[in-house]
Amino acid sequence: MVQLLKVHGSENQFFILDQTKLETQLTDKELSNLAIKICNPDNNILNGADGVLVINDSTHQDAMGQMRVINADGSEAKMCGNGLRTVSRYLSEKFNKDSFNVETLETDLEVKKSEDLAKGVPAFSVQISPISFEAKDLPFSYNGEDEMIEQEVPEFLPNLKFTSIAVPNPHLISFVDKINEADLGKLGKYLNEANPYFPEGVNVSFVEILGNNQLFVQTYERGVGFTNACGTGMSATSLAFALLYPDKFTDKEDISVRNPGGMVKTHIELGNTKEESSIHLIGNATFTDTLDIDESSLHALDLDQFTIKSTGEEEDYLNFVDAIKA
Ligand SMILES: N[C@@H](CCC[C@H](N)C(=O)O)C(=O)O
C-alpha cells in the first residue's frame, strides 16, 4: 500500500506523492499522466487539485529531500511556494527536524517550522530563490527589452503596468486599483497559449495594495488556471511592491498578503541589487486527507481504488480564515 496526501497552502491544493516509499518509482510520463487525472475535478478525487508534489531522495547530502512540481496539466514547474511549505511539513514529520534544506529543480532552499497560525493550523517559512528580472530567465520577449519593470504593455491590457520576475518560475505582476477577474482570466489564458511574449507561459497576478505592508493578490497560474493562491506569485509580488512602493513598505515587518484562499506573510529584505534581495514566505501547511492505494493501481492509473480518510484539519483552517476576515 502507498499513501498519498491531499494538502494545501492557502487552499492552493496538491496531492503529495513520496516516491521514496514506492518499490518502483513512477516515470516522468506516469507522473504527468497521474497529475492530469488526479487533479481533474471531474474525476471526483477530493475535487481535484492544482498539482502533484513529488518527493524524491535528494541528489546530495545538503538537503533532506527533493521536491518536484507537476502542474494539473501535466507540465513541470521549477518551484511552488505554497507546495514547498506542505512538503517541508511532510519531511519535518518524517525526519523529526524543524529546520533543513529542500532540493528543488534549480537550487536548495532553506525551510523551517514557524509558529502555528492558529489552533490546528501548522505553518512553515520557506526561502524563495533565486531571483531574476532578466528576459532570458523568464523567458519573455518584448520590444527587445532586457527587463520588464512597471512597463506599459498595451498589447496585454491598456492602462496597466507590468513587472516580470522569475523566482525562478515566471511571474507577471500588475498593481491595480480593483482586480478585474475577467481581464486577469483573459490575459492569463492568452499568455499561457502559444503567444509571442512568453514562449513558456507565465503565472499572472493582479495586486491591490490594501495599506502599508498589506496586499491582496489573485493569480492565474500557468498549467492550472485560476488558483486560490500562488506562493511564488505572492513572493514575487511582495518583492515588486517593496521596490516600487518604498513609501508603503517597511522591511521591519512582514508583509501580509491576502488571497482568495486565506493569507500568508512574506518577509522581504532588499539587497544591494534587486536580485540580491531575500524573500521568505510564511503560511499554513495543511494536510486534509490521506489516500491509500496499491502501488500497482497507481502505476495502472486505476484511481478508483483509493481509500480516502479525512484528517480533520480543514475545520481548523476554515476557522482561521473566518477569524482573519472578522
Ligand atoms: N502554486 C505554485 C506555483 C506552481 C507552479 C506554477 N503553476 C508554474 O507553472 O510556474 C506556488 O505556490 O508557487
Side-chain angles (χ1 to χ4, degrees):
M1 233 5 134
V2 188
Q3 185 164 84
L4 278 73
L5 288 175
K6 179 83 188 289
V7 303
H8 73 78
S10 277
E11 300 288 355
N12 191 190
Q13 309 266 344
F14 305 97
F15 292 96
I16 287 185
L17 168 65
D18 182 350
Q19 291 248 70
T20 68
K21 297 270 174 77
L22 303 183
E23 274 176 27
T24 310
Q25 300 217 330
L26 270 67
T27 62
D28 285 0
K29 186 73 195 149
E30 283 178 315
L31 287 174
S32 173
N33 288 338
L34 172 68
I36 292 168
K37 190 157 181 187
I38 200 172
C39 293
N40 184 342
D42 295 343
N43 291 326
N44 292 322
I45 304 160
L46 294 170
N47 213 21
D50 303 311
V52 173
L53 304 167
V54 182
I55 296 177
N56 294 317
D57 285 326
S58 175
T59 58
H60 53 81
Q61 284 189 334
D62 301 335
M64 289 231 307
Q66 182 201 54
M67 175 183 79
R68 287 178 67 187
V69 183
I70 316 293
N71 285 321
D73 70 353
S75 62
E76 182 160 9
K78 284 184 181 164
M79 235 306 265
C80 174
N82 291 327
L84 180 58
R85 298 200 309 276
T86 63
V87 165
S88 303
R89 174 176 166 194
Y90 178 85
L91 291 172
S92 159
E93 291 175 3
K94 182 173 174 182
F95 295 110
N96 201 21
K97 285 213 158 177
D98 283 349
S99 169
F100 48 92
N101 288 344
V102 178
E103 178 181 343
T104 60
L105 281 200
E106 195 139 316
T107 190
D108 289 351
L109 295 170
E110 292 166 6
V111 305
K112 68 169 191 275
K113 189 167 166 45
S114 295
E115 226 178 277
D116 290 359
L117 295 188
K119 179 191 132 310
V121 186
F124 275 76
S125 164
V126 300
Q127 182 190 12
I128 303 290
S129 176
I131 298 164
S132 175
F133 289 74
E134 284 188 45
K136 70 172 174 44
D137 292 327
L138 271 296
F140 75 79
S141 155
Y142 185 68
N143 290 345
E145 307 276 1
D146 293 332
E147 297 182 336
M148 185 181 287
I149 298 177
E150 274 295 82
Q151 171 140 11
E152 288 186 7
V153 186
E155 294 86 343
F156 292 176
L157 277 167
N159 308 321
L160 290 186
K161 293 183 177 158
F162 294 90
T163 298
S164 210
I165 309 179
V167 288
N169 58 337
H171 294 275
L172 180 71
I173 297 151
S174 185
F175 289 87
V176 298
D177 293 334
K178 181 103 194 86
I179 292 175
N180 179 326
E181 242 183 73
D183 280 351
L184 176 59
K186 218 163 127 191
L187 181 63
K189 192 164 180 301
Y190 171 66
L191 293 176
N192 285 290
E193 293 168 348
N195 72 88
Y197 308 107
F198 286 89
E200 294 176 17
V202 65
N203 301 287
V204 184
S205 294
F206 282 3
V207 196
E208 290 175 18
I209 299 175
L210 305 177
N212 290 348
N213 275 30
Q214 286 188 38
L215 305 174
F216 178 86
V217 179
Q218 189 167 7
T219 305
Y220 184 102
E221 271 194 36
R222 175 177 72 163
V224 187
F226 276 110
T227 53
N228 285 315
C230 174
T232 45
M234 294 183 287
S235 302
T237 296
S238 298
L239 175 60
F241 168 73
L243 292 165
L244 298 170
Y245 296 90
D247 51 323
K248 297 195 163 110
F249 165 70
T250 166
D251 62 4
K252 308 259 176 312
E253 283 165 26
D254 292 340
I255 299 175
S256 146
V257 188
R258 288 175 185 259
N259 55 65
M263 191 202 65
V264 298
K265 302 237 177 226
T266 54
H267 191 82
I268 304 290
E269 278 175 30
L270 294 175
N272 290 331
T273 66
K274 52 193 185 313
E275 292 77 11
E276 283 169 345
S277 301
S278 83
I279 310 177
H280 286 86
L281 170 70
I282 306 119
N284 74 299
T286 299
F287 294 175
T288 58
D289 301 270
T290 57
L291 302 90
D292 290 308
I293 193 167
D294 280 339
E295 186 173 332
S296 56
S297 303
L298 195 61
H299 282 285
L301 264 193
D302 189 1
L303 305 186
D304 296 335
Q305 305 303 321
F306 277 126
T307 305
I308 297 176
K309 284 199 192 109
S310 163
T311 62
E313 289 187 18
E314 186 61 0
E315 200 182 324
D316 285 331
Y317 183 75
L318 294 176
N319 287 337
F320 157 72
V321 172
D322 280 348
I324 58 173
K325 276 191 197 144

